[in-house]
Amino acid sequence: MSETEFDQAVADALEAIPEALAQRLSNVAVFVEEEYEPEPWEDPGTELLGLYDGIPLTERAEMPFQLPDRIVIFRGPLLRMCADREELVDEITVTVVHEVAHFFGIDDETLHGLGWG
């Protein structure tokens, strides 16, 4: 899958978010990066499919000026773990939904229980 097609699959996953939720998804920037760079305290072999970096809606105060939250989707690990295009598109969707859910304050345990792990 080309970079352009991958980016479009991420965009399609974002567009599939129900309108009521999408309207609340503000001040969030979504990026596609090739690889996750582990923090110094992490195992150097750490691979992530996606990352939410910000303050979930459930924890933020009403501050007039906040830096945008970030959602990053990592292309390399997704390409390596999927056997074919259909599986890749499905996994991109799961990853995008998973990271958007973190924006809304849903934790990993709950997401895994709901099948979005």
Side-chain angles (χ1 to χ4, degrees):
M1 176 179 280
S2 73
E3 288 183 31
T4 301
E5 291 170 318
F6 190 95
D7 291 348
Q8 187 58 55
V10 171
D12 291 347
L14 287 166
E15 288 177 17
I17 293 170
E19 185 63 29
L21 292 177
Q23 289 177 351
R24 301 229 26 211
L25 193 62
S26 63
N27 205 32
V28 179
V30 179
F31 300 93
V32 173
E33 294 181 6
E34 195 61 32
E35 300 288 337
Y36 173 70
E37 293 290 329
E39 297 293 340
W41 60 85
E42 293 179 305
D43 179 330
T46 299
E47 279 199 335
L48 297 179
L49 304 180
L51 177 69
Y52 168 71
D53 181 24
I55 301 170
L57 282 181
T58 55
E59 297 176 18
R60 65 176 66 180
E62 293 299 320
M63 294 184 269
F65 302 105
Q66 274 186 286
L67 292 174
D69 291 359
R70 290 175 12 117
I71 291 174
V72 183
I73 306 302
F74 297 104
R75 186 173 182 266
L78 284 160
L79 289 171
R80 286 191 293 278
M81 76 174 285
C82 297
D84 58 37
R85 184 184 189 85
E86 183 178 340
E87 182 182 2
L88 178 59
V89 170
D90 288 344
E91 196 58 45
I92 290 169
T93 301
V94 168
T95 303
V96 168
V97 169
H98 182 102
E99 301 310 330
V100 167
H102 285 321
F103 170 82
F104 288 106
I106 302 171
D107 63 25
D108 280 328
E109 184 177 333
T110 301
L111 286 168
H112 284 274
L114 294 171
W116 294 99

